[in-house]
Amino acid sequence: MGKKKANGEGSITKRKDGRYMGRYTVESKRKAVYGDSFEEVRQKLNEILNEIAKGAYVEPNKYSVEKWLREWLELYALPTVKRSTYISYEGYVRIHLVPEIGQIKLTSLSTRDLQKFFKEKAGTEEKKGLAPKTLRNIYNMLHSALDQAVADHKILRNPTLNVKLPKVKSKEMRVLTVEEQAVLQDAVSRVDELHAYGITFAVSTGVRLGELLALRWKDVSEKEHYIYVRRTLGRLQKVDEKGHLVKKEKGTPSTEIVVRSPKSELSMRKIPLFDELWDDLMAYKEKQNALKDALGSEYQDQGYIFATPLGHHNDPKVYQTLFKRIVADAGIESANFHALRHTFATRALESGMDIKVLSALLGHAQASTTLNLYGHVLPDHKKISMEKMRGNYMSCSISGSSDDTSADAPQTQDPTISTIEDARHNQEPTISIAAEDIQGLELSGDTNTAMPQIRDLAIDTNANEKQAQAS
């Protein structure tokens, strides 16, 4: 009779099918792990043996990755995330994760398994893969699901922690030129559909399509000339209480219009309207009221600003069709509705708007998000802003002339006085600028003015006398 193996003992052998098997003993029971290479199995085996030694070993269970992900979707994701997010999660699990790694035991799922999954999903030069942003979304969802598995003592550690993903490449945004924007707004003013004015309103405020169509007249402050973005409207797949997507059947649609809270908490915001935009919005309201009076009981007023001709909310897909038709008639190529938001942001920065103010108007969670998206606009903005600083600059007359035209002449040396001796020799006052005056130059957060506030630079005209006394 053979001697029983003690806890922690293990061995690795190569199987006939070419794979490797590592065996270990726990509580007098022999168990096994498998892998495609000796090194992979050795790493798995060492981790298990270390866990046994520390008393942190988790008994392998019959949960597959598929079983856990579906359970996580129903118990943890469905009650806590927005329906649109849940629908994305369900698709990631059903379309991508289950076919590739769904049959792996949850306790056997390794970082290498996931690295291989993401590498294959990223595609190659010959085979197109998923976009880096989609891969990041799948990773984030999987990380949350496996974190919950750790919390539920299904696994000891989260295998997503050391997975490396391809970098998300910035996608070139479509921004309308100033000429295209003017042509589009002219085309909007010539169509029969009154609610098409929402296109001009969107390019002037930066609101998203769902936010635009969810606006109601009660979201308008007539006293302050603000609009309040409080909700978004979209068409979403129906989901039952178990988290299953409702399938389309004859006479029963599988989707519905849903009005919900915006993308994030900071997406709930107020946007000030400049006078011309406010006047046009009020003129639009008068026309809508006239239409309401003309239709009488046929008009079912739901309070939406950019409502259908009968007063209902607009369907985003139907409104996008209207937008595409107007864009085509205007001769503008390759522009979707979201290009209006990009165009607003670009025009704002071109006009000198503070990046923090723009971030607040767009409803971004962080100013860095706005900067990453629209930083390409800032180089010219910086040059223009520095030109505006000329009015605050007082020449030291280093060139020997006090004529203002000398500012335009090429400079062959640094226009500063570097030492006390230079100051004495030139008999010119030194420029005294406190460090905090330079470092403290800030951009205003006032969403009404959105213009830089620049501190005055003080000149110490008694510098020579003070320096002489000090010496």
Side-chain angles (χ1 to χ4, degrees):
M1 185 174 179
K3 180 182 176 183
K4 288 186 177 180
K5 292 275 188 179
N7 278 355
E9 293 188 19
S11 61
I12 300 176
T13 57
K14 188 172 184 179
R15 291 157 49 98
K16 291 181 179 179
D17 61 4
R19 301 186 75 212
Y20 287 82
M21 176 179 68
R23 300 188 71 89
Y24 62 97
T25 303
V26 60
E27 296 179 356
S28 301
K29 296 178 181 179
R30 296 285 282 167
K31 298 185 179 296
V33 292
Y34 302 89
D36 295 329
S37 67
F38 180 90
E39 182 59 32
E40 179 188 354
V41 173
R42 186 183 68 82
Q43 184 177 349
K44 288 181 179 180
L45 197 57
N46 284 342
E47 289 179 357
I48 292 172
L49 296 178
N50 286 334
E51 290 163 9
I52 293 173
K54 295 175 183 177
Y57 175 74
V58 177
E59 177 73 21
N61 52 50
K62 295 182 179 180
Y63 266 91
S64 64
V65 171
E66 177 182 3
K67 183 179 179 182
W68 171 249
L69 289 178
R70 294 200 182 281
E71 183 175 308
W72 175 80
L73 281 173
E74 181 182 347
L75 296 181
Y76 296 101
L78 185 61
T80 59
V81 302
K82 292 182 179 180
R83 194 198 301 188
S84 56
T85 303
Y86 177 85
I87 292 170
S88 296
Y89 285 176
E90 193 279 339
Y92 296 154
V93 170
R94 174 171 45 85
I95 299 171
H96 301 294
L97 291 166
V98 167
E100 301 294 336
I101 61 174
Q103 302 311 309
I104 298 176
K105 280 187 178 181
L106 185 60
T107 50
S108 299
L109 184 65
S110 66
T111 299
R112 186 179 185 279
D113 293 327
L114 296 179
Q115 190 67 55
K116 184 179 179 182
F117 166 81
F118 283 108
K119 180 177 182 296
E120 291 175 351
K121 286 295 179 180
T124 61
E125 293 183 0
E126 296 77 22
K127 182 182 178 182
K128 186 178 180 180
L130 298 177
K133 180 66 167 59
T134 303
L135 293 177
R136 171 60 61 180
N137 290 343
I138 294 175
Y139 172 86
N140 289 340
M141 183 214 72
L142 197 56
H143 180 82
S144 296
L146 295 176
D147 255 358
Q148 191 61 54
V150 174
D152 285 5
H153 305 289
K154 296 286 190 297
I155 54 176
L156 185 64
R157 63 173 58 86
N158 191 331
T160 63
L161 292 176
N162 294 313
V163 171
K164 309 299 181 186
L165 295 180
K167 292 183 179 180
V168 177
K169 297 179 181 178
S170 56
K171 189 177 180 181
E172 187 174 350
M173 295 177 297
R174 175 67 164 101
V175 176
L176 301 182
T177 64
V178 174
E179 293 75 17
E180 286 177 326
Q181 185 176 342
V183 169
L184 176 62
Q185 292 178 207
D186 180 62
V188 167
S189 67
R190 290 185 280 104
V191 300
D192 294 331
E193 292 87 348
L194 178 62
H195 55 273
Y197 173 67
I199 295 171
T200 296
F201 192 82
V203 80
S204 304
T205 57
V207 294
R208 303 174 178 93
L209 175 59
E211 295 170 341
L212 178 79
L213 299 184
L215 286 174
R216 295 180 177 178
W217 287 113
K218 65 181 181 181
D219 300 321
V220 176
S221 170
E222 295 195 10
K223 181 180 179 181
E224 298 180 300
H225 294 190
Y226 277 88
I227 61 162
Y228 292 85
V229 178
R230 296 185 172 113
R231 65 194 74 83
T232 186
L233 180 151
R235 180 171 287 281
L236 297 177
Q237 183 88 19
K238 292 181 179 180
V239 179
D240 66 21
E241 66 279 359
K242 291 287 188 181
H244 302 137
L245 302 186
V246 175
K247 295 181 180 179
K248 185 176 181 180
E249 297 178 359
K250 189 175 181 180
T252 305
S254 60
T255 62
E256 61 184 343
I257 294 291
V258 177
V259 179
R260 60 197 190 280
S261 59
K263 187 174 183 180
S264 67
E265 186 175 342
L266 285 175
S267 291
M268 299 181 70
R269 61 201 187 275
K270 66 178 184 178
I271 301 175
L273 307 182
F274 49 85
D275 291 344
E276 294 81 359
L277 182 58
W278 175 260
D279 292 342
D280 282 348
L281 181 63
M282 291 301 101
Y284 168 83
K285 186 178 183 180
E286 288 182 7
K287 291 183 179 180
Q288 190 183 69
N289 287 335
L291 176 63
K292 189 189 307 183
D293 292 339
L295 291 175
S297 60
E298 289 185 61
Y299 193 93
Q300 299 177 6
D301 191 359
Q302 296 180 351
Y304 289 99
I305 297 179
F306 302 105
T308 67
L310 293 178
H312 303 151
H313 55 66
N314 257 297
D315 186 313
K317 287 187 177 180
V318 175
Y319 203 84
Q320 283 182 317
T321 300
L322 171 64
F323 171 78
K324 290 176 182 177
R325 193 192 82 208
I326 294 174
V327 165
D329 291 344
I332 299 172
E333 298 181 357
S334 63
N336 59 21
F337 197 92
H338 208 66
L340 302 182
R341 182 170 165 86
H342 296 323
T343 300
F344 166 78
T346 302
R347 293 292 102 80
L349 288 175
E350 290 171 349
S351 300
M353 185 180 289
D354 177 1
I355 195 75
K356 290 183 179 179
V357 174
L358 176 58
S359 180
L361 292 175
L362 292 174
H364 286 161
Q366 297 177 332
S368 59
T369 302
T370 314
L371 191 60
N372 289 338
L373 285 171
Y374 305 108
H376 64 283
V377 182
L378 292 178
D380 290 339
H381 180 195
K382 288 179 182 177
K383 181 174 175 60
I384 294 170
S385 298
M386 284 301 293
E387 286 297 319
K388 292 178 180 178
M389 292 288 289
R390 294 176 66 183
N392 299 283
Y393 181 75
M394 184 171 288
S395 173
C396 299
S397 301
I398 293 176
S399 62
S401 172
S402 60
D403 193 335
D404 289 342
T405 59
S406 64
D408 296 327
Q411 298 292 325
T412 57
Q413 60 184 19
D414 184 1
T416 59
I417 299 176
S418 58
T419 66
I420 295 175
E421 290 302 320
D422 288 338
R424 289 173 176 167
H425 176 74
N426 285 277
Q427 294 297 306
E428 292 287 348
T430 59
I431 297 180
S432 174
I433 307 175
E436 57 267 25
D437 286 333
I438 298 175
Q439 297 173 356
L441 297 180
E442 296 178 339
L443 296 176
S444 168
D446 185 351
T447 56
N448 284 304
T449 57
M451 292 297 293
Q453 302 299 314
I454 304 173
R455 298 180 181 179
D456 294 331
L457 304 181
I459 297 180
D460 185 355
T461 56
N462 297 317
N464 289 338
E465 184 179 345
K466 292 179 180 179
Q467 296 286 3
Q469 291 175 356
S471 61

